[in-house]
Amino acid sequence: MSRRLQPDSTERINRQKPLRFTFNGKNYRGYEGDTLASALLANDVHLLGRSFKYHRPRGIVAAGAEEPNSMVQLARGAETEPNIRATQISLFEGLEAASVNVWPNVEYDISAVNGLFAKIFTAGFYNKTFMWPKSFWMKLYEPVIRRAAGWGKAPTTSDPDIYDHMHVHADVMIVGAGPSGLSAALQAGRAGARVILVDEQAELGGSLLGLKREIDGKASGDWIEAAAKELQGIPEVTVLTRSTAFGYYDQNYLCVLEQKTDHLPLAERKGRVRQRVWHVRAKNVILATGAHERPLVFADNDRPGVMLAGAVQTYVNRYGVLPGKRMVLFTNNDGAYEAALDMQAAGAQIAAIIDCREDASGPLVQTATDAGIKILQGHAITGVKGTKRAKAVEVRRIQKGAKVFTSAAQEIDCDLVAMSGGWSPVVHLFSQSQGKLEYIEEKACFVPGSPVQKQIFAGSINASFGLQACLKEGAKAGAEAAKDAGFEGEGSASFKVQEPAEGSIEPFWIVPGGRPIGEGPAKHFVDFQNDSTAADIELATREGFESVEHIKRYTLTGFGTDQGKTSNINALAILSGILDKPIPKVGTTTFRPPYTPVSYGALAGRNLKDWSDPIRLTSIHDWHVEAGAEFENVGQWKRPWYYPKAGEDMQASLNRECRAVRQSVGVLDASTLGKIDIRGKDAAEFLNRIYTNAWSKLGVGRVRYGLMCHEDGMVFDDGTTARLAEDRFLMTTTSGNAAIVLDWLEEYLQTEWPELEVYCTSVTEQWTTVSIAGPKSRELLKKIAPDMDLSNDAFPFMSFQEGDVAGLQARVFRISFTGELSYEINVPWTSGKALWEAVMEAGAEFDITPYGTESMHVLRAEKGFIIVGQETDGTTTPQDLGMDWIVSKKKPDFIGKRSYTREDTAREDRKQLVGLLTENPAEILPEGAQLVFDKEAAVPMPMVGHVTSSYYSATLGRSIALALVKGGHGKQGGTVYAPLKNRTLTAEIVDPVFYDKEGEKLNG
Amino acid sequence: MLNIECPWCGERHETEFHYGGEAHIARPESPEALSDEEWADFLFMRKNSKGLFFERWCHSNGCRRWFNVARNTVTHEIVAVYKMGEKPPSLVKGGKS
Ligand SMILES: [Zn+2]
């Protein structure tokens, strides 16, 4: 059953290298140079899968990226990859592939019964059928659709392969290495420009690989090889094969996916980069992307064995495969006649050429007539016999413009139908680059309009389909692009080409059926991949859709991995016929990236796991690890979360840590707090404008807490700032906000107040901060800082001193986030661990206890101290937080001030910060729980706020919570309810300060 | 993905910058003197131009400087780049095409 032809000089397969592979569990053979599709056709396998909605048998239609049908599941070692086009899979030894979208197998598919219920699968089927109730989606519809629609199995384990990214600049980027692209690359490369030439295929040559041509007296294959060799010898030229330009963005920024190992046997891929994404920024881009052939739209045009004429020609000439023994060609143009001639020359019988034109008479038509081929002009195929493989076609005489046929049918036996509806330039990348398309009537296709970036179009993308024209346009484009980048070379090139005359085309968008479109049962497929038919488009217009973008979404035409490569223009033209509007007036849909699918692995590249984001560690990190700390992420920082001892769960650990701080002394690595050094003669004035409170009178050596708001009056950061000198402050910010605050300061200094002389420098990583807290902290500090006077008078709360601590030059700040006597000792980052160890050693006698961020949160919540981002969410004012005390009434202006009197911010019933005590002290409210005043209220219940922080407090022996509650400041003693999934918790509204309301603990 | 010319560093990839919205919206000298409507206008209302648009960018992963950009919001063409405090260049509406 082999359909492999005798060796021929045009073929590009290596008969010395036979390869074994399996498809759906059966063993087959092919050759190096084959695609999976060509190798299957060589084994007379046409049936590859089932269609998306109707589960109709489907076969190979095309020979490249435009293939809509033949998607397979590919085994990849332990991995599997769904939905790869058989036409784009290079065959390798041991390849294993299977059909997708079939169950139990491709020959007997149970869901094919969908075909019998075809009526309900019409346009908008998903929109109409599965609408209500919503819950049915999750439980019923979606799983059913997913299982039935299939389309391959997603891998279940993480992708084991390696991917990387490359960033490059080019003078000239050329997309497509067909005759136009090659000719452009030669010209630009010879001129000395830095050129990147990319092509999706395994070798250079593009469509020329499938044709028998002569260039400058050489066979086209030899010409391609010579060109490839010359390009390889030019150092500034980079040639990437198996590389698809999938995205074209602003300012000539293109992304290319290079498949580096997908064509190799699995064993040879190990340890190598599988795919590489190239990011190219080019001075000039030459789009030499060629054209895709269009199907003709007739009843049952989706049967296996119905293929594009150019693809048939490619399989014959390039792969040495005869896709059928008896072929019918159906065409609306001269060019496709060559497919019949090539097939005939290869030994196939040409049953007939069905030409829908009345007066086709070009040179190719003449040659076909001379070759004795029966030509039926003014005829069309109106049906295909055979379901898993075309067996015969039904042919009728048709009247131009008729909506239905009236003549009798004749049946012509065949096992292959080649069709050609003309060619559509591959304008996807141009469209992605924001370009608008223009319609060319005489060639019945869209071409790029004016360039929108620095781009040139060459060859078939311009509807210049002849080889001579492609080579010429390519050379001209290459020279122009090089010249624009400053490289003068040969202006033009001439080529002696032997090729048949292009001939003419007459648009023929849809073959009439026995009844008007949309009325009969016949299926004229427009988009094979999405199973949408001409009737669907007709139905969509009948239901009121007219915009091409709406129809695309309603019928799914042009969706999916295919992005309408073969279907878009046919759909558009049929729509134009129905609406009776000229094609250009109907407009085109926008092609979006990616041109062909790109895996997530490739997009992620090396940015995975530990490499997905920088990890920031403090100088004490190793100590925390050794102490067995659990860590949490705070921005990019890893911070100790809690330090469980053997046998302790999290809560036990927190209880111990919190008690230590309240009763003796605890120690916290606070190095991650943002620190910004602010200098300049106007520094105090600057802080006056940035913070809500006053800073001018803060004495040197003193520290003040401040809130920052945005202009809308909402809190966005807080922290303490110390006055180091008359013109110098050290600001601290929350750990996660450090960079944002610095940007904020810079923005105001540079854009609003450039007259202020202030300089901001991030010093977060210059200083390690070790915070000791608890009644014993003064005694501890005394041991390691014997020269410092630590008395309350000499070193009061909210002040700092510089001096010697544990033999290190240190700044010690007496501030407190726990409510206890507390010191934050800052030493240069590199000495951080030495300080920590000294503190631990000196603290041993007090049973010093390291505590993490979770205990810090509990301790500060006991004191009612807010955490920005937890008690605030960008809609919270200082007044909402009960922090009016920190908002200056005297300062004429500061950021946020004007907004406090806006109607909305001045409202009485805003959500305000309160404390909550649950009725049952053992119950801990979930953070984020919604609160209501009336637990009996009808659903949807009126929400009055939510829990912002909630913990078990070992100090108080019960749970505590902070919450934002509507009008909460006036509701002390009131009750709120938290309706949870299976129960409702009751809580009393209380003051947010739960512990040491008088602040007596601050002095130890 | 834009290529933006920082007035201090030269042409750099968009990922080095962050966007700062419409340019030439000065913070009012005396916010207290403004009506609620006027203040809200400053706070919330921005142009949504189709075509030429003056906007601010900050070279946040580079020199950290803020500057102004005149960009065509349809074609994304950057028509001009100029420093903070400088007047916008007079440009044909929509930029050169
Ligand atoms: Zn810069």
Side-chain angles (χ1 to χ4, degrees):
Chain A
M1 278 234 286
S2 172
R3 291 293 168 86
R4 196 67 77 171
L5 295 163
Q6 288 304 307
D8 178 271
S9 61
T10 323
E11 72 183 25
R12 311 292 301 176
I13 52 168
N14 180 1
R15 303 223 183 205
Q16 310 308 314
K17 276 236 170 142
L19 302 170
R20 285 163 303 179
F21 69 102
T22 72
F23 181 66
N24 286 335
K26 275 192 197 155
N27 295 313
Y28 297 102
R29 274 164 181 268
Y31 292 110
E32 188 181 75
D34 262 327
T35 62
L36 176 59
S38 67
L40 285 169
L41 289 174
N43 288 282
D44 204 26
V45 177
H46 273 261
L47 174 59
L48 256 66
R50 295 269 174 168
S51 73
F52 182 51
K53 272 195 308 200
Y54 305 119
H55 283 245
R56 282 167 71 109
R58 288 287 165 82
I60 296 158
V61 173
E66 71 275 31
E67 170 64 36
N69 277 345
S70 64
M71 294 193 299
V72 300
Q73 185 96 23
L74 198 58
R76 184 146 74 72
E79 270 302 286
T80 171
E81 193 173 11
N83 307 334
I84 322 282
R85 288 172 180 76
T87 53
Q88 290 195 294
I89 299 170
S90 291
L91 199 66
F92 55 86
E93 176 68 23
L95 177 149
E96 288 173 41
S99 298
V100 296
N101 208 24
V102 293
W103 187 77
N105 66 50
V106 67
E107 295 284 335
Y108 306 98
D109 182 284
I110 282 176
S111 299
V113 75
N114 283 359
L116 303 178
F117 296 107
K119 271 281 165 215
I120 68 160
F121 279 94
T122 51
F125 150 75
Y126 293 99
N127 316 45
K128 288 173 194 159
T129 314
F130 299 130
M131 278 187 52
W132 192 258
K134 254 190 207 157
S135 59
F136 273 37
W137 258 111
M138 303 284 289
K139 290 182 187 137
L140 187 63
Y141 298 148
E142 202 182 327
V144 168
I145 293 173
R146 279 189 189 282
R147 201 177 55 216
W151 265 13
K153 293 183 206 75
T156 51
T157 54
S158 69
D159 190 335
D161 285 316
I162 306 166
Y163 302 86
D164 67 15
H165 285 211
M166 189 80 121
H167 295 258
V168 290
H169 291 260
D171 293 319
V172 186
M173 157 114 184
I174 302 166
V175 184
S180 321
L182 280 175
S183 161
L186 287 169
Q187 209 72 3
R190 285 170 190 159
R194 177 168 294 181
V195 175
I196 295 181
L197 173 66
V198 304
D199 193 278
E200 64 195 7
Q201 297 205 57
E203 57 179 321
L204 304 181
S207 59
L208 195 49
L209 295 167
L211 298 170
K212 283 184 187 292
R213 294 285 183 272
E214 230 174 66
I215 304 172
D216 297 336
K218 271 187 240 172
S220 47
D222 296 338
W223 184 85
I224 293 168
E225 262 162 42
K229 207 168 161 206
E230 185 181 344
L231 290 173
Q232 206 174 21
I234 307 176
E236 288 295 323
V237 175
T238 305
V239 177
L240 300 174
T241 52
R242 305 181 195 280
S243 298
T244 306
F246 65 83
Y248 190 155
Y249 308 94
D250 296 315
Q251 292 164 323
N252 277 348
Y253 181 72
L254 290 94
C255 287
V256 178
L257 179 74
E258 181 188 10
Q259 291 180 282
K260 295 176 77 72
T261 63
D262 291 311
H263 61 291
L264 299 175
L266 297 177
E268 289 174 36
R269 301 185 190 182
K270 241 184 142 67
R272 299 171 66 171
V273 171
R274 180 186 175 216
Q275 295 176 347
R276 171 173 291 164
V277 175
W278 291 73
H279 301 254
V280 184
R281 182 79 74 172
K283 285 186 187 149
N284 276 280
V285 171
I286 296 174
L287 293 176
T289 46
H292 289 150
E293 199 166 15
R294 288 192 294 261
L296 283 162
V297 182
F298 53 97
D300 302 323
N301 56 347
D302 65 322
R303 294 304 187 198
V306 181
M307 299 174 69
L308 292 165
V312 168
Q313 222 176 333
T314 297
Y315 286 116
V316 171
N317 294 326
R318 177 172 175 183
Y319 298 105
V321 169
L322 202 63
K325 287 188 163 163
R326 190 177 152 86
M327 178 177 105
V328 172
L329 171 72
F330 183 19
T331 180
N332 67 349
N333 63 80
D334 289 10
Y337 278 64
E338 199 186 358
L341 295 168
D342 284 358
M343 276 292 278
Q344 192 185 46
Q349 205 184 345
I350 308 304
I353 293 178
I354 317 296
D355 195 325
C356 52
R357 300 170 298 174
E358 293 288 347
D359 46 7
S361 58
L364 272 169
V365 180
Q366 197 51 54
T367 314
T369 312
D370 294 347
I373 299 174
K374 178 163 99 178
I375 301 172
L376 294 173
Q377 296 203 348
H379 278 67
I381 296 180
T382 56
V384 179
K385 296 273 151 63
T387 51
K388 288 177 202 162
R389 177 74 185 266
K391 287 181 188 148
V393 291
E394 186 188 281
V395 176
R396 282 188 166 88
R397 182 99 181 87
I398 36 145
Q399 303 305 320
K400 217 173 175 177
K403 294 243 190 281
V404 292
F405 57 68
T406 47
S407 57
Q410 53 171 309
E411 212 169 284
I412 302 175
D413 287 344
C414 62
D415 63 355
L416 179 69
V417 181
M419 59 179 168
S420 177
W423 292 79
S424 298
V426 179
V427 293
H428 301 65
L429 289 175
F430 172 68
S431 178
Q432 287 180 23
S433 79
Q434 303 297 315
K436 296 274 172 284
L437 306 177
E438 272 172 20
Y439 190 70
I440 303 188
E441 202 77 50
E442 68 271 20
K443 301 221 179 177
C445 66
F446 282 94
V447 295
S450 321
V452 288
Q453 304 189 23
K454 278 194 140 188
Q455 54 196 189
I456 308 174
F457 321 112
S460 300
I461 188 176
N462 285 332
S464 307
F465 297 124
L467 177 57
Q468 172 82 46
C470 287
L471 292 167
K472 253 190 117 102
E473 286 185 17
K476 186 161 169 275
E480 254 178 59
K483 190 173 176 191
D484 186 76
F487 299 89
E488 198 78 45
E490 296 270 332
S492 66
S494 65
F495 303 89
K496 262 186 70 194
V497 170
Q498 276 209 343
E499 62 177 329
E502 193 183 320
S504 66
I505 176 170
E506 191 177 299
F508 189 71
W509 299 114
I510 181 160
V511 174
R515 298 166 68 183
I517 313 167
E519 291 181 16
K523 292 217 159 346
H524 298 62
F525 282 94
V526 176
D527 184 329
F528 296 88
Q529 189 175 78
N530 291 294
D531 253 3
S532 44
T533 64
D536 289 329
I537 296 172
E538 196 277 340
L539 177 63
T541 57
R542 220 183 326 136
E543 295 189 353
F545 293 92
E546 288 191 4
S547 147
V548 61
E549 290 285 1
H550 291 157
I551 288 184
K552 168 178 172 173
R553 279 152 187 81
Y554 199 56
T555 63
L556 298 184
T557 306
F559 263 90
T561 63
D562 185 47
Q563 285 287 298
K565 289 185 184 62
T566 52
S567 64
N568 264 358
I569 305 307
N570 280 339
L572 211 63
I574 290 169
L575 182 61
S576 116
I578 295 169
L579 299 176
D580 200 19
K581 261 196 212 173
I583 291 175
K585 281 265 153 55
V586 174
T588 53
T589 55
T590 309
F591 295 100
R592 296 182 200 285
Y595 173 69
T596 47
V598 181
S599 70
Y600 282 111
L603 293 175
R606 302 285 173 120
N607 298 322
L608 291 174
K609 297 177 183 166
D610 282 355
W611 292 353
S612 61
D613 202 27
I615 295 171
R616 300 172 79 185
L617 304 176
T618 74
S619 59
I620 313 167
H621 185 78
D622 294 348
W623 191 96
H624 305 314
V625 172
E626 266 170 51
E630 294 288 335
F631 290 86
E632 76 167 332
N633 295 328
V634 180
Q636 294 166 333
W637 291 104
K638 297 271 175 216
R639 296 197 69 180
W641 189 19
Y642 60 99
Y643 297 80
K645 286 194 166 170
E648 270 185 350
D649 63 6
M650 183 176 180
Q651 190 60 55
S653 178
L654 300 180
N655 293 351
R656 176 178 49 76
E657 292 172 22
C658 289
R659 269 192 220 105
V661 173
R662 294 281 181 235
Q663 292 165 10
S664 180
V665 64
V667 58
L668 174 85
D669 181 355
S671 309
T672 63
L673 277 186
K675 305 177 212 52
I676 302 170
D677 190 299
I678 299 172
R679 298 182 84 157
K681 71 176 170 54
D682 298 315
E685 169 60 19
F686 180 54
L687 293 182
N688 261 338
R689 299 184 191 186
I690 289 285
Y691 278 126
T692 61
N693 48 349
W695 291 81
S696 314
K697 290 187 183 137
L698 183 72
V700 173
R702 306 301 293 218
V703 184
R704 189 164 280 175
Y705 173 78
L707 272 187
M708 272 180 217
C709 292
H710 284 145
E711 293 283 12
D712 62 4
M714 304 304 157
V715 172
F716 96 98
D717 203 64
D718 70 342
T720 57
T721 293
R723 191 162 202 165
L724 303 179
E726 199 52 38
D727 64 347
R728 188 172 180 194
F729 293 82
L730 181 71
M731 174 187 281
T732 68
T733 73
T734 53
S735 297
N737 249 355
I740 295 163
V741 171
L742 182 60
D743 278 352
W744 179 248
L745 302 181
E746 286 288 357
E747 179 178 345
Y748 272 83
L749 282 173
Q750 291 182 34
T751 69
E752 295 292 350
W753 306 315
E755 71 280 7
L756 294 185
E757 197 185 301
V758 180
Y759 306 93
C760 301
T761 310
S762 166
V763 292
T764 303
E765 276 142 333
Q766 271 65 43
W767 297 93
T768 287
T769 307
V770 173
S771 172
I772 53 174
K776 300 286 187 201
S777 53
R778 184 180 282 124
E779 270 178 74
L780 192 165
L781 183 57
K782 199 167 209 86
K783 286 178 68 180
I784 49 175
D787 299 338
M788 267 186 199
D789 183 352
L790 301 181
S791 67
N792 267 328
D793 289 342
F795 197 168
F797 181 55
M798 297 307 265
S799 68
F800 81 92
Q801 292 199 11
E802 286 182 272
D804 201 89
V805 179
L808 303 163
Q809 186 59 34
R811 284 177 185 156
V812 182
F813 298 84
R814 197 180 148 195
I815 52 182
S816 176
F817 195 40
T818 59
E820 299 296 329
L821 174 68
S822 178
Y823 300 90
E824 287 192 0
I825 311 164
N826 286 254
V827 295
W829 192 266
T830 46
S831 313
K833 199 158 169 216
L835 172 67
W836 182 272
E837 280 164 354
V839 167
M840 290 306 294
E841 198 187 318
E845 64 174 287
F846 312 110
D847 195 17
I848 189 168
T849 303
Y851 67 98
T853 50
E854 191 65 17
S855 290
M856 177 186 84
H857 283 194
V858 177
L859 293 163
R860 64 87 205 178
E862 289 170 350
K863 286 294 295 174
F865 295 151
I866 62 153
I867 287 187
V868 169
Q870 193 155 342
E871 271 64 55
T872 72
D873 61 2
T875 67
T876 322
T877 64
Q879 295 82 358
D880 295 340
L881 297 167
M883 296 173 81
D884 312 59
W885 53 271
I886 203 170
V887 179
S888 165
K889 305 281 181 295
K890 288 188 198 138
K891 287 197 290 181
D893 188 19
F894 57 86
I895 296 173
K897 178 178 166 89
R898 175 62 184 83
S899 289
Y900 302 141
T901 54
R902 288 183 62 238
E903 194 182 325
D904 185 61
T905 30
R907 256 187 312 124
E908 295 276 302
D909 65 341
R910 288 179 62 82
K911 289 180 183 169
Q912 294 161 337
L913 185 72
V914 296
L916 294 183
L917 289 174
T918 47
E919 195 176 50
N920 174 357
E923 289 273 18
I924 301 172
L925 286 160
E927 284 179 356
Q930 291 293 315
L931 301 171
V932 299
F933 289 140
D934 177 6
K935 65 175 172 176
E936 308 298 340
V939 175
M941 301 170 98
M943 309 287 183
V944 299
H946 67 276
V947 176
T948 58
S949 293
S950 180
Y951 311 95
Y952 176 76
S953 161
T955 309
L956 303 169
R958 61 153 303 139
S959 71
I960 56 166
L962 297 173
L964 288 167
V965 172
K966 247 184 189 178
H969 290 161
K971 292 200 163 59
Q972 302 268 319
T975 304
V976 285
Y977 303 93
L980 304 177
K981 202 168 179 189
N982 300 315
R983 65 213 160 109
T984 296
L985 298 184
T986 307
E988 188 193 346
I989 299 176
V990 298
D991 186 89
V993 185
F994 297 96
Y995 174 76
D996 186 29
K997 281 191 206 301
E998 294 71 35
E1000 287 166 350
K1001 303 281 182 186
L1002 273 176
N1003 290 322
Chain B
M1 206 68 75
L2 299 172
N3 230 11
I4 300 171
E5 180 150 351
C6 169
W8 283 273
C9 308
E11 218 168 44
R12 294 288 191 278
H13 202 275
E14 184 181 335
T15 50
E16 291 188 15
F17 299 85
H18 89 247
Y19 186 61
E22 189 179 354
H24 306 299
I25 307 240
R27 186 175 189 275
E29 285 287 329
S30 311
E32 296 297 310
L34 301 184
S35 69
D36 273 7
E37 287 69 28
E38 288 166 325
W39 181 246
D41 192 55
F42 160 72
L43 272 185
F44 305 121
M45 305 309 281
R46 295 294 181 269
K47 285 199 193 83
N48 186 17
S49 312
K50 183 175 181 181
L52 187 63
F53 188 61
F54 298 97
E55 60 196 15
R56 308 183 311 160
W57 286 84
C58 177
H59 194 189
S60 41
N61 292 321
C63 66
R64 309 186 54 81
R65 295 277 212 135
W66 283 88
F67 57 96
N68 295 308
V69 170
R71 181 176 61 98
N72 185 314
T73 57
V74 179
T75 62
H76 292 191
E77 184 196 2
I78 291 176
V79 188
V81 168
Y82 55 103
K83 293 178 182 175
M84 270 300 146
E86 289 180 0
K87 288 244 169 341
S90 55
L91 299 160
V92 186
K93 203 169 164 49
K96 50 187 169 141
S97 57

